[in-house]
Amino acid sequence: MTIDYSEKIPNNVDLAHDRTLQRALEHWQPHFLQWWHEMGPSDFEKADVYLRTATSVDAQGWATYGAVKMPEYRWGIFLADQQPGRTIGFGDRMGEPVWQQVPGEHRSTLRRLIVTQGDTEPASVEQQRLLGHLCPSLYDLRNLFQINVEEGRHLWAMVYLLHAYFGRDGREEAEELLARHSGDADKPRILTTFNEPISDWLSLYCFTYFTDRDGKYQLKSFAESAFDPLSRTCRFMLTEEAHHMFVGETGIGRVVKRTLEVMKELGTDDPAKIRAHGAVDLPLLQKYLNFWCSSSLDLFGSEISSNAATSFANGLKGRPDESQYEDHVLRDVVLKLDTPEGTQDVPMLNALNEVMRESYLKDCEIGLKRWNRAIERAGHAFRLTLPSSRFRRSIGSWVGLPVDPQGKLLPKDEYERRLYEWIPSPEDRAFVKSLMQKVVSPGKMAAWIAPPDRGINNLPVEYEYVHLA
Ligand SMILES: [Fe+2]
Ligand SMILES: [Fe+2]
C-alpha cells in the first residue's frame, strides 16, 4: 500500500477510515512535536538537512531525498505489506493463523514489550541531543539528524500500535513515552544503556554500532511475532535501522583509518604521541568498544529467563531469523550454559536471551574483522576485540563479578584497580571530548577521522548536507 502524504499524519494504514484512532493520534502529534522541540537536536531547527523520507515500504526505492527542516519532517505510520495466509512460525501454536488483534491473555505482556521497545527510540534522540555542536563534518551531522528523525519515527511506529490495539492503557503509555527522559533522576528511560550520556562522536559511533544492533535483533525477533501488526511494523523499521548501523561501522572504520595514517606519519604506535597529534590511539578505541559492547549486551536480559520462554512459547517473540532453525517449538532441547558455578544444562526455551546474545555477538564480529584487516594491512600487530560477555554484566548469572574483558575471574581489588585499563577513564573521556571541535565547512573533516569513501545518495562527500541557517 502506498503512503498517503496528503494526510496530517502520513500513513499506509488507511487512517482516514478510522476516525477515532485518527483523532487520538492527531491529539498525540503536537505532544510529540513539542517533545522534539525540547528534547530533540538542540539549535538546528532552522537548518536545511538533506534527509531521506519513506515513500513506500518495499525494499526497492523506498525513500526520497531532499532538504528538510527537521521540525517539518513528515513522521508517519508505515507498516510492511501484509503477507496473505501468514501463520505463526514458532512456539506452541505454530501453524495457526497469525493474529490481527491482541488476544486478551497476552495483552499485558505485549504492551510491556512494545512500551520497552518504544522507550528506546526517543531515548536515543535525547542522548544525542547536543552532539550536533561537536560534529566532525557536515556529512556526519546529516547522518546524526537522519538517525534522530528516524528514531522519532520508530516512536511513532510503537505509539501507533499502542493507540490502535491497547485502548486507554495504550494511550496512557504513549503519553508516558514522552514523559520519561534519558538520564532523568526522577523519570529515567526504562533501560540503563539508554540513560548513558553520549557526549562525543566516538561514543555515537559505538552506540550506533552496538546499541542500534541490539535494536536490530529485538526488531528481528518481533518481526517473527504472531501479532501481525507488530511484525509488519518492525519489518519496515529494520529497513530504516540498517543505515544507523552503517553510520557506526563506517564511523569507527574512519577513525581507525585516520589513526593508521597518523601512526604512519609519526612512525610510532605510542598512544601519547598519537594523542598529542590529535588522533584516537587504538587502545583507547578498544576501551570504547569494551564499554559500549558490554553495556549493550545487558539489553538482551538474563541468560536464564522464564519471560523469554513464555514469550516464545506463546508466539509473541521469536528468534531473529526464526526460519533458519529446524526446531521451532524447543520443548525437548537443552543448552549448555557457562555460569560462575560451572556448566549448566538449561532448557533451551529458558535460554533464548543467550541464544540471541550469541548471534548478536557474531554479527558484531563482522565490523571488527574489517577494521582489523585495515590494521593488519598497515603492518601493525594490534587487533581490536570484543569483550567477553561475562565482562561488566549488570544482569544475569555473571552480574557484578570481577571479570576481565577476556572473561577471566579476578580478585575484586585487582579488578577495581585495573578497570580503567579496559573502559574509558575520566581522563580518556576528557581527551576524546577535547578532540570534538565542530567542523562545518563542506567537505572538511575533523583531524581525528578520515573522510567517508562516498557521500549520501551518490552525492559527493563535499556536498553541503546541512545548510546552517
Ligand atoms: Fe530505532
Ligand atoms: Fe536506530
mmCIF file of all heavy atoms in Angstrom, residues 123-164:
data_model
loop_
_atom_site.group_PDB
_atom_site.id
_atom_site.type_symbol
_atom_site.label_atom_id
_atom_site.label_comp_id
_atom_site.label_asym_id
_atom_site.label_seq_id
_atom_site.Cartn_x
_atom_site.Cartn_y
_atom_site.Cartn_z
ATOM 1 N N ALA A 123 14.568 7.840 23.576
ATOM 2 C CA ALA A 123 15.703 7.925 24.499
ATOM 3 C C ALA A 123 16.987 8.227 23.733
ATOM 4 O O ALA A 123 17.771 9.092 24.129
ATOM 5 C CB ALA A 123 15.850 6.614 25.276
ATOM 6 N N SER A 124 17.207 7.540 22.611
ATOM 7 C CA SER A 124 18.464 7.740 21.884
ATOM 8 C C SER A 124 18.530 9.153 21.301
ATOM 9 O O SER A 124 19.600 9.752 21.236
ATOM 10 C CB SER A 124 18.642 6.668 20.815
ATOM 11 O OG SER A 124 17.691 6.821 19.798
ATOM 12 N N VAL A 125 17.394 9.696 20.896
ATOM 13 C CA VAL A 125 17.379 11.089 20.398
ATOM 14 C C VAL A 125 17.815 12.033 21.528
ATOM 15 O O VAL A 125 18.621 12.951 21.321
ATOM 16 C CB VAL A 125 15.969 11.467 19.886
ATOM 17 C CG1 VAL A 125 15.925 12.929 19.453
ATOM 18 C CG2 VAL A 125 15.555 10.554 18.744
ATOM 19 N N GLU A 126 17.305 11.776 22.716
ATOM 20 C CA GLU A 126 17.662 12.617 23.863
ATOM 21 C C GLU A 126 19.150 12.484 24.204
ATOM 22 O O GLU A 126 19.824 13.477 24.492
ATOM 23 C CB GLU A 126 16.806 12.217 25.072
ATOM 24 C CG GLU A 126 15.333 12.516 24.869
ATOM 25 C CD GLU A 126 14.413 11.873 25.904
ATOM 26 O OE1 GLU A 126 14.878 11.040 26.712
ATOM 27 O OE2 GLU A 126 13.223 12.191 25.899
ATOM 28 N N GLN A 127 19.645 11.260 24.149
ATOM 29 C CA GLN A 127 21.065 11.044 24.458
ATOM 30 C C GLN A 127 21.978 11.820 23.509
ATOM 31 O O GLN A 127 23.060 12.237 23.876
ATOM 32 C CB GLN A 127 21.414 9.545 24.323
ATOM 33 C CG GLN A 127 20.905 8.674 25.449
ATOM 34 C CD GLN A 127 21.113 7.201 25.131
ATOM 35 O OE1 GLN A 127 20.475 6.657 24.224
ATOM 36 N NE2 GLN A 127 22.009 6.550 25.848
ATOM 37 N N GLN A 128 21.507 11.982 22.267
ATOM 38 C CA GLN A 128 22.375 12.558 21.230
ATOM 39 C C GLN A 128 22.105 14.035 20.982
ATOM 40 O O GLN A 128 22.627 14.632 20.041
ATOM 41 C CB GLN A 128 22.169 11.747 19.929
ATOM 42 C CG GLN A 128 22.601 10.297 20.101
ATOM 43 C CD GLN A 128 22.002 9.353 19.067
ATOM 44 O OE1 GLN A 128 21.535 9.790 18.015
ATOM 45 N NE2 GLN A 128 22.034 8.058 19.352
ATOM 46 N N ARG A 129 21.324 14.622 21.836
ATOM 47 C CA ARG A 129 20.760 15.951 21.582
ATOM 48 C C ARG A 129 21.803 17.046 21.370
ATOM 49 O O ARG A 129 21.617 17.963 20.589
ATOM 50 C CB ARG A 129 19.818 16.224 22.758
ATOM 51 C CG ARG A 129 19.744 17.534 23.361
ATOM 52 C CD ARG A 129 18.476 17.644 24.189
ATOM 53 N NE ARG A 129 17.644 18.676 23.602
ATOM 54 C CZ ARG A 129 17.714 19.948 23.959
ATOM 55 N NH1 ARG A 129 18.489 20.308 24.926
ATOM 56 N NH2 ARG A 129 16.989 20.858 23.356
ATOM 57 N N LEU A 130 22.952 16.966 22.048
ATOM 58 C CA LEU A 130 23.933 18.058 21.960
ATOM 59 C C LEU A 130 25.062 17.779 20.969
ATOM 60 O O LEU A 130 25.926 18.614 20.750
ATOM 61 C CB LEU A 130 24.535 18.318 23.343
ATOM 62 C CG LEU A 130 23.521 18.762 24.410
ATOM 63 C CD1 LEU A 130 24.169 18.796 25.789
ATOM 64 C CD2 LEU A 130 22.937 20.121 24.041
ATOM 65 N N LEU A 131 25.038 16.584 20.372
ATOM 66 C CA LEU A 131 26.175 16.192 19.531
ATOM 67 C C LEU A 131 26.369 17.062 18.298
ATOM 68 O O LEU A 131 27.483 17.195 17.795
ATOM 69 C CB LEU A 131 26.003 14.731 19.079
ATOM 70 C CG LEU A 131 26.382 13.668 20.103
ATOM 71 C CD1 LEU A 131 26.148 12.291 19.510
ATOM 72 C CD2 LEU A 131 27.845 13.819 20.522
ATOM 73 N N GLY A 132 25.285 17.648 17.805
ATOM 74 C CA GLY A 132 25.385 18.463 16.600
ATOM 75 C C GLY A 132 26.419 19.577 16.741
ATOM 76 O O GLY A 132 27.084 19.946 15.780
ATOM 77 N N HIS A 133 26.581 20.056 17.957
ATOM 78 C CA HIS A 133 27.519 21.158 18.188
ATOM 79 C C HIS A 133 28.972 20.741 18.095
ATOM 80 O O HIS A 133 29.868 21.580 18.134
ATOM 81 C CB HIS A 133 27.260 21.780 19.564
ATOM 82 C CG HIS A 133 25.918 22.427 19.646
ATOM 83 N ND1 HIS A 133 25.624 23.590 18.998
ATOM 84 C CD2 HIS A 133 24.772 22.039 20.266
ATOM 85 C CE1 HIS A 133 24.361 23.910 19.225
ATOM 86 N NE2 HIS A 133 23.828 22.988 19.984
ATOM 87 N N LEU A 134 29.213 19.435 18.028
ATOM 88 C CA LEU A 134 30.588 18.932 18.036
ATOM 89 C C LEU A 134 30.885 18.113 16.785
ATOM 90 O O LEU A 134 31.825 17.319 16.762
ATOM 91 C CB LEU A 134 30.792 18.039 19.277
ATOM 92 C CG LEU A 134 30.484 18.676 20.633
ATOM 93 C CD1 LEU A 134 30.534 17.611 21.733
ATOM 94 C CD2 LEU A 134 31.473 19.793 20.925
ATOM 95 N N CYS A 135 30.092 18.301 15.726
ATOM 96 C CA CYS A 135 30.178 17.362 14.592
ATOM 97 C C CYS A 135 31.522 17.444 13.871
ATOM 98 O O CYS A 135 32.089 18.521 13.698
ATOM 99 C CB CYS A 135 29.043 17.627 13.613
ATOM 100 S SG CYS A 135 29.161 19.214 12.798
ATOM 101 N N PRO A 136 32.050 16.301 13.423
ATOM 102 C CA PRO A 136 33.322 16.300 12.696
ATOM 103 C C PRO A 136 33.175 16.721 11.235
ATOM 104 O O PRO A 136 34.186 16.996 10.580
ATOM 105 C CB PRO A 136 33.789 14.846 12.787
ATOM 106 C CG PRO A 136 32.560 14.041 13.040
ATOM 107 C CD PRO A 136 31.591 14.934 13.753
ATOM 108 N N SER A 137 31.956 16.774 10.704
ATOM 109 C CA SER A 137 31.753 17.237 9.320
ATOM 110 C C SER A 137 30.254 17.412 9.082
ATOM 111 O O SER A 137 29.429 16.918 9.849
ATOM 112 C CB SER A 137 32.297 16.212 8.313
ATOM 113 O OG SER A 137 31.437 15.080 8.273
ATOM 114 N N LEU A 138 29.928 18.087 7.968
ATOM 115 C CA LEU A 138 28.509 18.228 7.610
ATOM 116 C C LEU A 138 27.904 16.891 7.227
ATOM 117 O O LEU A 138 26.726 16.623 7.474
ATOM 118 C CB LEU A 138 28.357 19.215 6.447
ATOM 119 C CG LEU A 138 28.501 20.695 6.787
ATOM 120 C CD1 LEU A 138 28.249 21.535 5.521
ATOM 121 C CD2 LEU A 138 27.556 21.134 7.910
ATOM 122 N N TYR A 139 28.724 16.045 6.610
ATOM 123 C CA TYR A 139 28.260 14.698 6.250
ATOM 124 C C TYR A 139 27.817 13.944 7.509
ATOM 125 O O TYR A 139 26.752 13.331 7.541
ATOM 126 C CB TYR A 139 29.411 13.977 5.527
ATOM 127 C CG TYR A 139 29.261 12.473 5.426
ATOM 128 C CD1 TYR A 139 28.615 11.894 4.325
ATOM 129 C CD2 TYR A 139 29.783 11.632 6.411
ATOM 130 C CE1 TYR A 139 28.488 10.510 4.233
ATOM 131 C CE2 TYR A 139 29.651 10.258 6.329
ATOM 132 C CZ TYR A 139 29.001 9.704 5.231
ATOM 133 O OH TYR A 139 28.871 8.349 5.143
ATOM 134 N N ASP A 140 28.639 14.008 8.553
ATOM 135 C CA ASP A 140 28.300 13.306 9.796
ATOM 136 C C ASP A 140 27.108 13.950 10.490
ATOM 137 O O ASP A 140 26.260 13.256 11.059
ATOM 138 C CB ASP A 140 29.513 13.297 10.732
ATOM 139 C CG ASP A 140 30.601 12.372 10.219
ATOM 140 O OD1 ASP A 140 30.467 11.152 10.367
ATOM 141 O OD2 ASP A 140 31.587 12.874 9.635
ATOM 142 N N LEU A 141 27.050 15.276 10.414
ATOM 143 C CA LEU A 141 25.934 15.983 11.042
ATOM 144 C C LEU A 141 24.618 15.529 10.418
ATOM 145 O O LEU A 141 23.640 15.240 11.103
ATOM 146 C CB LEU A 141 26.122 17.497 10.869
ATOM 147 C CG LEU A 141 25.115 18.387 11.599
ATOM 148 C CD1 LEU A 141 25.179 18.185 13.101
ATOM 149 C CD2 LEU A 141 25.348 19.863 11.255
ATOM 150 N N ARG A 142 24.629 15.435 9.099
ATOM 151 C CA ARG A 142 23.434 14.976 8.389
ATOM 152 C C ARG A 142 23.060 13.545 8.814
ATOM 153 O O ARG A 142 21.884 13.236 9.038
ATOM 154 C CB ARG A 142 23.723 15.046 6.884
ATOM 155 C CG ARG A 142 22.628 14.549 6.004
ATOM 156 C CD ARG A 142 22.858 13.101 5.600
ATOM 157 N NE ARG A 142 21.625 12.559 5.019
ATOM 158 C CZ ARG A 142 21.290 11.296 5.031
ATOM 159 N NH1 ARG A 142 22.067 10.408 5.599
ATOM 160 N NH2 ARG A 142 20.161 10.897 4.494
ATOM 161 N N ASN A 143 24.047 12.686 8.945
ATOM 162 C CA ASN A 143 23.756 11.300 9.353
ATOM 163 C C ASN A 143 23.159 11.243 10.760
ATOM 164 O O ASN A 143 22.234 10.475 11.017
ATOM 165 C CB ASN A 143 25.020 10.443 9.290
ATOM 166 C CG ASN A 143 25.371 10.057 7.861
ATOM 167 O OD1 ASN A 143 24.527 10.132 6.972
ATOM 168 N ND2 ASN A 143 26.608 9.637 7.649
ATOM 169 N N LEU A 144 23.704 12.067 11.650
ATOM 170 C CA LEU A 144 23.149 12.127 13.005
ATOM 171 C C LEU A 144 21.664 12.509 12.958
ATOM 172 O O LEU A 144 20.818 11.865 13.568
ATOM 173 C CB LEU A 144 23.929 13.156 13.838
ATOM 174 C CG LEU A 144 23.310 13.523 15.194
ATOM 175 C CD1 LEU A 144 23.406 12.350 16.168
ATOM 176 C CD2 LEU A 144 23.976 14.763 15.789
ATOM 177 N N PHE A 145 21.365 13.552 12.183
ATOM 178 C CA PHE A 145 19.983 14.028 12.126
ATOM 179 C C PHE A 145 19.066 13.009 11.434
ATOM 180 O O PHE A 145 17.907 12.854 11.799
ATOM 181 C CB PHE A 145 19.922 15.388 11.419
ATOM 182 C CG PHE A 145 20.583 16.497 12.217
ATOM 183 C CD1 PHE A 145 21.031 17.655 11.587
ATOM 184 C CD2 PHE A 145 20.751 16.378 13.592
ATOM 185 C CE1 PHE A 145 21.630 18.683 12.319
ATOM 186 C CE2 PHE A 145 21.359 17.395 14.332
ATOM 187 C CZ PHE A 145 21.797 18.549 13.686
ATOM 188 N N GLN A 146 19.623 12.320 10.441
ATOM 189 C CA GLN A 146 18.830 11.266 9.787
ATOM 190 C C GLN A 146 18.437 10.192 10.810
ATOM 191 O O GLN A 146 17.295 9.741 10.863
ATOM 192 C CB GLN A 146 19.640 10.609 8.653
ATOM 193 C CG GLN A 146 18.873 9.532 7.906
ATOM 194 C CD GLN A 146 17.764 10.145 7.069
ATOM 195 O OE1 GLN A 146 18.025 10.950 6.170
ATOM 196 N NE2 GLN A 146 16.511 9.810 7.370
ATOM 197 N N ILE A 147 19.419 9.790 11.606
ATOM 198 C CA ILE A 147 19.132 8.785 12.636
ATOM 199 C C ILE A 147 18.101 9.338 13.616
ATOM 200 O O ILE A 147 17.129 8.670 13.955
ATOM 201 C CB ILE A 147 20.434 8.386 13.365
ATOM 202 C CG1 ILE A 147 21.362 7.635 12.410
ATOM 203 C CG2 ILE A 147 20.127 7.535 14.596
ATOM 204 C CD1 ILE A 147 22.756 7.376 12.962
ATOM 205 N N ASN A 148 18.290 10.564 14.044
ATOM 206 C CA ASN A 148 17.377 11.165 15.029
ATOM 207 C C ASN A 148 15.927 11.202 14.514
ATOM 208 O O ASN A 148 15.009 10.807 15.227
ATOM 209 C CB ASN A 148 17.827 12.586 15.391
ATOM 210 C CG ASN A 148 19.111 12.627 16.203
ATOM 211 O OD1 ASN A 148 19.755 13.659 16.296
ATOM 212 N ND2 ASN A 148 19.503 11.510 16.805
ATOM 213 N N VAL A 149 15.733 11.667 13.275
ATOM 214 C CA VAL A 149 14.335 11.741 12.799
ATOM 215 C C VAL A 149 13.755 10.331 12.646
ATOM 216 O O VAL A 149 12.566 10.112 12.903
ATOM 217 C CB VAL A 149 14.154 12.542 11.475
ATOM 218 C CG1 VAL A 149 14.474 14.009 11.684
ATOM 219 C CG2 VAL A 149 14.939 11.959 10.326
ATOM 220 N N GLU A 150 14.593 9.375 12.275
ATOM 221 C CA GLU A 150 14.062 8.011 12.119
ATOM 222 C C GLU A 150 13.760 7.356 13.466
ATOM 223 O O GLU A 150 12.790 6.607 13.590
ATOM 224 C CB GLU A 150 15.007 7.157 11.263
ATOM 225 C CG GLU A 150 14.859 7.539 9.800
ATOM 226 C CD GLU A 150 15.846 6.880 8.876
ATOM 227 O OE1 GLU A 150 16.758 6.167 9.345
ATOM 228 O OE2 GLU A 150 15.715 7.093 7.655
ATOM 229 N N GLU A 151 14.555 7.652 14.488
ATOM 230 C CA GLU A 151 14.205 7.130 15.817
ATOM 231 C C GLU A 151 12.895 7.771 16.268
ATOM 232 O O GLU A 151 12.065 7.134 16.913
ATOM 233 C CB GLU A 151 15.317 7.376 16.843
ATOM 234 C CG GLU A 151 16.693 6.759 16.511
ATOM 235 C CD GLU A 151 16.711 5.266 16.261
ATOM 236 O OE1 GLU A 151 15.638 4.645 16.191
ATOM 237 O OE2 GLU A 151 17.811 4.701 16.114
ATOM 238 N N GLY A 152 12.706 9.044 15.895
ATOM 239 C CA GLY A 152 11.425 9.684 16.173
ATOM 240 C C GLY A 152 10.288 8.937 15.474
ATOM 241 O O GLY A 152 9.225 8.701 16.037
ATOM 242 N N ARG A 153 10.532 8.524 14.246
ATOM 243 C CA ARG A 153 9.507 7.772 13.525
ATOM 244 C C ARG A 153 9.273 6.392 14.156
ATOM 245 O O ARG A 153 8.154 5.883 14.186
ATOM 246 C CB ARG A 153 9.855 7.608 12.042
ATOM 247 C CG ARG A 153 8.598 7.381 11.202
ATOM 248 C CD ARG A 153 8.856 6.650 9.913
ATOM 249 N NE ARG A 153 9.244 5.272 10.109
ATOM 250 C CZ ARG A 153 8.422 4.300 10.490
ATOM 251 N NH1 ARG A 153 7.163 4.543 10.753
ATOM 252 N NH2 ARG A 153 8.880 3.059 10.638
ATOM 253 N N HIS A 154 10.328 5.790 14.675
ATOM 254 C CA HIS A 154 10.152 4.495 15.336
ATOM 255 C C HIS A 154 9.294 4.633 16.591
ATOM 256 O O HIS A 154 8.546 3.727 16.947
ATOM 257 C CB HIS A 154 11.513 3.877 15.681
ATOM 258 C CG HIS A 154 12.276 3.502 14.448
ATOM 259 N ND1 HIS A 154 13.569 3.043 14.487
ATOM 260 C CD2 HIS A 154 11.922 3.517 13.140
ATOM 261 C CE1 HIS A 154 13.972 2.803 13.248
ATOM 262 N NE2 HIS A 154 12.993 3.085 12.418
ATOM 263 N N LEU A 155 9.401 5.796 17.229
ATOM 264 C CA LEU A 155 8.494 6.051 18.349
ATOM 265 C C LEU A 155 7.043 6.072 17.829
ATOM 266 O O LEU A 155 6.152 5.466 18.409
ATOM 267 C CB LEU A 155 8.854 7.387 19.017
ATOM 268 C CG LEU A 155 7.852 7.896 20.064
ATOM 269 C CD1 LEU A 155 7.699 6.904 21.199
ATOM 270 C CD2 LEU A 155 8.292 9.256 20.605
ATOM 271 N N TRP A 156 6.842 6.748 16.697
ATOM 272 C CA TRP A 156 5.507 6.760 16.070
ATOM 273 C C TRP A 156 5.022 5.345 15.794
ATOM 274 O O TRP A 156 3.838 5.028 15.988
ATOM 275 C CB TRP A 156 5.546 7.539 14.745
ATOM 276 C CG TRP A 156 5.260 9.002 14.905
ATOM 277 C CD1 TRP A 156 6.172 10.001 15.055
ATOM 278 C CD2 TRP A 156 3.975 9.618 14.946
ATOM 279 N NE1 TRP A 156 5.527 11.198 15.190
ATOM 280 C CE2 TRP A 156 4.174 10.994 15.119
ATOM 281 C CE3 TRP A 156 2.671 9.142 14.846
ATOM 282 C CZ2 TRP A 156 3.133 11.908 15.199
ATOM 283 C CZ3 TRP A 156 1.614 10.043 14.922
ATOM 284 C CH2 TRP A 156 1.853 11.417 15.097
ATOM 285 N N ALA A 157 5.925 4.509 15.334
ATOM 286 C CA ALA A 157 5.541 3.134 14.986
ATOM 287 C C ALA A 157 4.968 2.413 16.207
ATOM 288 O O ALA A 157 3.938 1.738 16.124
ATOM 289 C CB ALA A 157 6.765 2.381 14.439
ATOM 290 N N MET A 158 5.617 2.567 17.364
ATOM 291 C CA MET A 158 5.164 1.889 18.581
ATOM 292 C C MET A 158 3.915 2.565 19.154
ATOM 293 O O MET A 158 3.017 1.900 19.661
ATOM 294 C CB MET A 158 6.296 1.860 19.623
ATOM 295 C CG MET A 158 7.492 1.024 19.201
ATOM 296 S SD MET A 158 7.073 -0.728 18.994
ATOM 297 C CE MET A 158 7.626 -1.007 17.319
ATOM 298 N N VAL A 159 3.876 3.896 19.034
ATOM 299 C CA VAL A 159 2.707 4.628 19.538
ATOM 300 C C VAL A 159 1.459 4.260 18.729
ATOM 301 O O VAL A 159 0.363 4.125 19.272
ATOM 302 C CB VAL A 159 2.990 6.150 19.527
ATOM 303 C CG1 VAL A 159 1.700 6.958 19.634
ATOM 304 C CG2 VAL A 159 3.933 6.493 20.673
ATOM 305 N N TYR A 160 1.632 4.066 17.437
ATOM 306 C CA TYR A 160 0.505 3.615 16.617
ATOM 307 C C TYR A 160 -0.051 2.296 17.161
ATOM 308 O O TYR A 160 -1.263 2.144 17.354
ATOM 309 C CB TYR A 160 0.942 3.450 15.159
ATOM 310 C CG TYR A 160 -0.019 2.605 14.356
ATOM 311 C CD1 TYR A 160 -1.284 3.100 13.999
ATOM 312 C CD2 TYR A 160 0.305 1.298 13.974
ATOM 313 C CE1 TYR A 160 -2.188 2.319 13.295
ATOM 314 C CE2 TYR A 160 -0.594 0.509 13.274
ATOM 315 C CZ TYR A 160 -1.840 1.029 12.940
ATOM 316 O OH TYR A 160 -2.729 0.247 12.255
ATOM 317 N N LEU A 161 0.829 1.337 17.449
ATOM 318 C CA LEU A 161 0.365 0.037 17.963
ATOM 319 C C LEU A 161 -0.362 0.218 19.296
ATOM 320 O O LEU A 161 -1.411 -0.384 19.527
ATOM 321 C CB LEU A 161 1.545 -0.932 18.133
ATOM 322 C CG LEU A 161 2.245 -1.384 16.846
ATOM 323 C CD1 LEU A 161 3.482 -2.221 17.177
ATOM 324 C CD2 LEU A 161 1.290 -2.179 15.951
ATOM 325 N N LEU A 162 0.208 1.059 20.161
ATOM 326 C CA LEU A 162 -0.412 1.277 21.468
ATOM 327 C C LEU A 162 -1.809 1.885 21.317
ATOM 328 O O LEU A 162 -2.766 1.451 21.956
ATOM 329 C CB LEU A 162 0.475 2.176 22.343
ATOM 330 C CG LEU A 162 1.778 1.522 22.824
ATOM 331 C CD1 LEU A 162 2.709 2.561 23.450
ATOM 332 C CD2 LEU A 162 1.485 0.398 23.828
ATOM 333 N N HIS A 163 -1.914 2.891 20.457
ATOM 334 C CA HIS A 163 -3.202 3.552 20.255
ATOM 335 C C HIS A 163 -4.203 2.628 19.567
ATOM 336 O O HIS A 163 -5.379 2.587 19.919
ATOM 337 C CB HIS A 163 -3.020 4.813 19.409
ATOM 338 C CG HIS A 163 -2.731 6.044 20.211
ATOM 339 N ND1 HIS A 163 -3.633 7.061 20.367
ATOM 340 C CD2 HIS A 163 -1.635 6.416 20.900
ATOM 341 C CE1 HIS A 163 -3.108 8.019 21.130
ATOM 342 N NE2 HIS A 163 -1.881 7.638 21.459
ATOM 343 N N ALA A 164 -3.737 1.916 18.567
ATOM 344 C CA ALA A 164 -4.673 1.146 17.726
ATOM 345 C C ALA A 164 -5.149 -0.129 18.407
ATOM 346 O O ALA A 164 -6.246 -0.600 18.136
ATOM 347 C CB ALA A 164 -4.013 0.828 16.378
#
